[in-house]
Amino acid sequence: MEIVLDCACGGKLAVHEGQAGLRLPCPQCREEVRVPSLGDLRKRNGVVPTTNPVFEIAARLRSGELPLRECAGCAAPAQWEVPLVAECERASVESNEVHWIWLLFAPRLFFWMPGWGVRATTREYGRDTVVKTPITLCDSCCHQRPSEPGEWGATLSRACFTGGLFACLFWLPAGAGLIGVAFLLATWQHRRMRAFRRRLSKWFGTVPAYTELRKEYPRLVLHLGADPRPLAQSVLSPSLRLG
Ligand SMILES: [Zn+2]
Ligand SMILES: [Zn+2]
C-alpha cells in the first residue's frame, strides 16, 4: 500500500512499506526525506497491530498498569491483591486406556478388546496457556471473597457411583439408592463450582485487559489463590510509577 509523505518544501513523496526507514530524495527539492519505520507506516495506514492478549497483560503487569488500584468488586480503593490464575488453554491428552470399571460389567471384554493389555499410549497435543495475574480487592470484598470449593463433593460422588454399581450386583435397591446419592452429590458440587466461577467472572470482567483474554479464550477457567497480600506500596503510589 502506498503512503504519501510530506516534505518540508511542500512536495509530496509516495513510498511503500518496503522503503520503511530509508532516506529518499524529495521529487521537488531533492532534499532527503526520512521514511518512518514499518510500524509507523502501518499505523498511518490504519493497520492496528494485533498482539495476543496474554502478552499484552504481561506487558501491562511490567509497566505497572496492572494490577488496578481499584477494587475489582466495588471500585473502591483496593488494599489487597489476591493471585488469580486464568487457565486459557490446556494441552489435550489422548489415551487408549480403558477404565477398569468396564471389567465389572463385561469381564470377557478383557479378551476381546483389541489392544487391551498392550501398553497404554498417551499423546499430548497443543500446549498449556496459563496467565497468572493478581486481582485487587478492598478490605470488605477481600473478606467476602469466595473460596474455591473443594473437590471432595466430586470425589464422594464418584465413590458412591462406583459403590452403587458394585451394590447393584448383589442388591438392586441399595445400588440404585447409592447411584441416586452420587447424582445428587455431583449436582451439588456442580452448583457450588458454578456460583464460585460466576463471582470470579464478574471481577474479571471489570479489568478491560482481561475481557480481551476472554474473547480470545472463551472457555477459560479461573482459579483464585488462597492468600491475599497487602497491595504493594509501589502500586499504590502514583509518583513511583512515573518514568
Ligand atoms: Zn522537498
Ligand atoms: Zn470492594
Side-chain angles (χ1 to χ4, degrees), residues 1-7 13 15 17 33-49:
M1 203 191 291
E2 276 203 339
I3 304 112
V4 178
L5 300 177
D6 297 309
C7 175
L13 174 66
V15 297
E17 284 188 357
V33 179
R34 223 192 122 261
V35 183
S37 68
L38 189 61
D40 284 344
L41 277 182
R42 286 188 175 161
K43 237 182 260 168
R44 282 184 193 215
N45 266 343
V47 179
V48 182

Side-chain angles (χ1 to χ4, degrees), residues 129-148:
T129 309
V130 174
V131 178
K132 287 178 190 161
T133 161
I135 201 142
T136 47
L137 295 173
C138 72
D139 228 8
S140 84
C141 287
C142 190
H143 280 303
Q144 291 164 32
R145 76 186 185 281
S147 57
E148 181 135 10

Side-chain angles (χ1 to χ4, degrees), residues 51-54 89 210-219:
T51 50
N52 188 303
V54 174
E89 237 172 10
Y210 301 160
T211 327
E212 289 300 313
L213 198 66
R214 159 130 319 138
K215 261 189 230 153
E216 186 84 16
Y217 305 101
R219 302 188 61 184

Side-chain angles (χ1 to χ4, degrees), residues 9-10 36 38 67 75 80 110 119 137-138 186 229:
C9 76
L38 189 61
W80 299 92
F110 182 86
R119 205 195 312 162
L137 295 173
C138 72
R229 279 190 326 191

Side-chain angles (χ1 to χ4, degrees), residues 15 34 44 71-72 75 96 99 119 130 155 161 197 201 224:
V15 297
R34 223 192 122 261
R44 282 184 193 215
C71 169
N96 66 352
H99 200 275
R119 205 195 312 162
V130 174
T155 311
F161 186 74
R197 302 243 183 269
S201 278
L224 195 65

